[in-house]
Amino acid sequence: MSRTIEFFYDLMSPYSHLANWRLPGVAKRSAAVVVPRPVSLPELLVLSGNQHPAELESKRDYMRRDLDALGRYYGIPMEWPEQWPVNSSRAMAALALLEGGAQQELANELFSAIWDRGENIADPDCLLALLGDSLWQQSDSDEARQRLNENTREAYERGAFGVPSCFAGERLFFGNERLFLLQMHLNG
């Protein structure tokens, strides 16, 4: 049984925000390691033929109520950004250039910027301040886009159709609300 949790996510996803803060506890209770894998949710939706929740008014309205309640339940701040869905493509490309603790640290900061403070990371000045000059420049490179596209394609080929998608080995657990099943699976 795999003791690695691959966490495919996009910053634009509020459910990925919740999963990002809950996964360390799941990993600790399962003696597992979380490996974050940034993807492009819009591209993953195209590949899988899925639809973004924001495209359906009733689903969008439900999501807001659901996420506000889940945030309160888990004690995770949820401040909806004015612009949602937010264009996270450049931030996700930046994350794809990083690995391990550096990637997780930046992902935590970017999730907090969007979902705790309501910042618009699609605004170049905002994202530049969060990434710093060097990573800002690198995030617009072919290499950054290629890495993000490779992660997205891999997620799709393994069966993902949205985010958050977690894999334990080849077993997919979709959604923040399935993390308890992931933990049960890991603990056998």
Side-chain angles (χ1 to χ4, degrees):
M1 174 118 13
S2 175
R3 289 291 180 189
T4 299
I5 301 167
E6 290 179 274
F7 172 45
F8 290 87
Y9 68 97
D10 190 320
L11 296 165
M12 75 174 357
S13 162
Y15 290 104
S16 287
H17 168 66
L18 293 177
N20 180 67
W21 297 110
R22 295 185 58 225
L23 273 169
V26 171
K28 183 177 181 179
R29 291 186 296 275
S30 305
V33 174
V34 177
V35 177
R37 304 286 306 276
V39 299
S40 166
L41 177 57
E43 182 61 24
L44 184 56
L45 294 176
V46 168
L47 288 169
S48 65
N50 201 349
Q51 201 172 24
H52 194 283
E55 294 177 27
L56 303 169
E57 185 177 348
S58 60
K59 193 170 188 178
R60 184 180 59 242
D61 293 345
Y62 173 82
M63 276 182 66
R64 284 186 180 258
R65 290 189 308 274
D66 184 51
L67 285 153
D68 289 343
L70 286 170
R72 284 191 308 276
Y73 178 79
Y74 295 124
I76 300 171
M78 288 293 300
E79 178 68 36
W80 284 85
E82 262 186 56
Q83 173 63 40
W84 186 80
V86 64
N87 181 345
S88 62
S89 60
R90 186 146 185 190
M92 296 308 296
L95 287 163
L97 291 170
L98 303 175
E99 294 181 5
Q103 184 189 105
Q104 188 60 62
E105 186 176 314
L106 180 59
N108 289 348
E109 177 57 28
L110 293 170
F111 272 123
S112 291
I114 299 166
W115 297 106
D116 297 357
R117 301 188 301 269
E119 295 178 23
N120 180 4
I121 63 163
D123 176 274
D125 292 332
C126 175
L127 189 58
L128 173 60
L130 291 163
L131 296 182
D133 209 33
S134 178
L135 188 55
W136 165 258
Q137 294 299 324
Q138 294 172 44
S139 68
D140 195 31
S141 68
D142 289 339
E143 178 188 2
R145 287 186 290 277
Q146 181 180 344
R147 285 188 187 189
L148 185 62
N149 289 337
E150 288 170 359
N151 283 352
T152 303
R153 171 128 334 250
E154 180 185 339
Y156 168 70
E157 289 173 354
R158 291 173 68 186
F161 48 87
V163 295
S165 287
C166 295
F167 285 88
E170 290 308 307
R171 176 94 184 263
L172 168 65
F173 295 86
F174 172 72
N176 168 69
E177 64 280 6
R178 301 294 184 278
L179 295 183
F180 78 98
L181 294 174
L182 169 62
Q183 182 176 319
M184 276 181 30
H185 174 76
L186 288 169
N187 290 329

